[in-house]
Amino acid sequence: MSLASRTTLTRTAAVVLAGGLALTLTACGSGSKGSADAGSSGGAVKVGLITKTDTNPFFVKMKEGAQKAAKENNVTLSTAAGKFDGDNAGQIAAIENMVAAGVKGILITPSDSKAILPAIKKARDKGVVVIALDSPTDPADGTDALFATNNEKAGELIGQYAKAAMAGKSAKIATLDLAPGVAVGQLRHDGFLKGFGIAEGDPSVVCSQDTGGDQAKGQTAMENCLQKASDVNVVYTINEPAALGAYTALKAKGREKDVLIVSVDGGCTGTQAVKDGKIAATSQQYPLVMASEGVKAIAEYAKSGVKPIGYTDTGVHLVTDKPQAGIEAKDTAYGLENCWG
């Protein structure tokens, strides 16, 4: 997934070590006095936000949305982030520390949608409301609610776009995916196939590689795919960093103009790449909305006792400057006004 400097309302409150991996927790909100206890603020409602990392612009924007909503709703926000995407041990430690600090609810982007479940269950058993952001747990009812992009729809939109853009030409597709066991990656992948009108295992998919959503790994994956199938003409990528890595590999081979690259995320760098013609189209999602709506839901629960439940779709739009007939899309002017990072 895709570091802009932003004015922050947070201050460092505690550093948690888990399995030798450090997590930084910060507290912000009305009445925060900077206690070493994450989220302490003289009795105000406490909400926790746990993201996969604190460097990915997607999660930076998510944190910004949570901070703004915390201030508007007079709640104290504690935040934690792993040192890398996949730091399940760090997320477990963050949950335990937030529960000990007395949070009313926790918002989390699960690094491992299955392995995090026991820690979430312990928190819920103690009366803490847990809302997944961006990615569901597996199964999804492991949390009280989910505030997220419809990731399958995001994939489907770019699949439909790619199919239309190929205009009946024979497709040789490379899929540059995320990693095994991560729900968001699987949903986007499945959505792309659905939108393109093919099933898993279709022979038109000539190469599939995992990238971890990383640009350098995306480049390596594309290089591997070109060695395996030099006639690749469509590239699906899990996110825009992977897409830009693929573009670099294709450019090195002189193929950047005759291969269609489509992606998901809608970060500012990725949206600019769409405008520049490096990526044909992307599905834009809105992390600020996910986090701000999640904070509001927990604040409302603290007031009314009504728990947030089920799935809340926080929106997705196809962004491209090369629209295809019958495919609804926004242009990059809209995308750059609503991007993140």
Side-chain angles (χ1 to χ4, degrees), residues 13-311:
V15 175
V16 183
L17 296 177
L21 301 172
L23 259 75
T24 302
L25 278 82
T26 59
C28 72
S30 177
S32 177
K33 300 299 181 184
S35 164
D37 257 342
S40 64
S41 63
V45 173
K46 302 172 186 177
V47 178
L49 170 67
I50 304 170
T51 55
K52 295 178 183 179
T53 72
D54 59 7
T55 55
N56 186 316
F58 185 86
F59 301 124
V60 171
K61 195 68 173 182
M62 185 175 280
K63 184 175 176 180
E64 180 186 328
Q67 290 169 337
K68 185 173 185 293
K71 185 175 181 180
E72 292 172 349
N73 290 272
N74 194 33
V75 302
T76 294
L77 179 71
S78 300
T79 67
K83 294 187 72 174
F84 58 90
D85 194 332
D87 182 8
N88 184 65
Q91 290 199 324
I92 290 172
I95 290 172
E96 292 172 348
N97 278 273
M98 288 178 178
V99 171
V103 295
K104 191 74 172 177
I106 293 173
L107 312 172
I108 184 168
T109 61
S111 279
D112 188 312
S113 56
K114 289 184 178 181
I116 197 65
L117 288 173
I120 290 177
K121 184 179 186 301
K122 288 180 181 178
R124 294 177 71 190
D125 287 347
K126 292 184 178 181
V128 177
V129 169
V130 181
I131 299 175
L133 303 181
D134 182 45
S135 308
T137 54
D138 184 11
D141 63 3
T143 58
D144 293 282
L146 169 67
F147 288 67
T149 305
N150 184 331
N151 280 291
E152 185 172 3
K153 180 180 178 182
E156 188 173 354
L157 286 172
I158 59 169
Q160 291 171 344
Y161 176 88
K163 181 72 171 180
M166 288 300 288
K169 292 184 289 186
S170 178
K172 302 292 184 181
I173 303 169
T175 68
L176 303 192
D177 298 304
L178 186 57
V182 183
V184 63
Q186 191 64 51
L187 288 166
R188 292 180 186 182
H189 174 96
D190 292 348
F192 170 79
L193 296 181
K194 180 180 178 182
F196 205 89
I198 57 177
E200 191 70 53
D202 190 281
S204 63
V205 179
V206 295
C207 184
S208 294
Q209 296 270 307
D210 291 331
T211 68
D214 177 79
Q215 185 164 339
K217 292 178 181 178
Q219 180 176 344
T220 299
M222 191 71 248
E223 291 167 350
N224 291 340
C225 283
L226 288 171
Q227 288 179 356
K228 181 179 180 181
S230 61
D231 57 349
V232 165
N233 55 13
V234 177
V235 178
Y236 153 81
T237 67
I238 180 63
N239 66 1
E240 292 138 7
L244 289 170
Y247 176 84
T248 300
L250 289 164
K251 187 175 181 180
K253 295 291 186 180
R255 297 284 317 282
E256 76 276 13
K257 296 188 183 301
D258 61 293
V259 177
L260 183 79
I261 303 176
V262 293
S263 195
V264 179
D265 259 1
C268 295
T269 300
T271 304
Q272 184 64 46
V274 175
K275 183 177 181 179
D276 294 341
K278 297 177 180 179
I279 302 171
T282 194
S283 287
Q284 186 172 65
Q285 55 180 340
Y286 307 101
L288 187 148
V289 176
M290 298 177 198
S292 60
E293 291 300 312
V295 170
K296 290 175 188 176
I298 294 175
E300 179 58 32
Y301 166 60
K303 294 177 184 176
S304 67
V306 178
K307 283 187 178 182
I309 58 172
Y311 169 58

Side-chain angles (χ1 to χ4, degrees), residues 271-272 274-276 319-321 330-337:
T271 304
Q272 184 64 46
V274 175
K275 183 177 181 179
D276 294 341
V319 174
T320 184
D321 286 334
K330 303 287 188 180
D331 62 17
T332 56
Y334 175 90
L336 289 168
E337 287 176 2

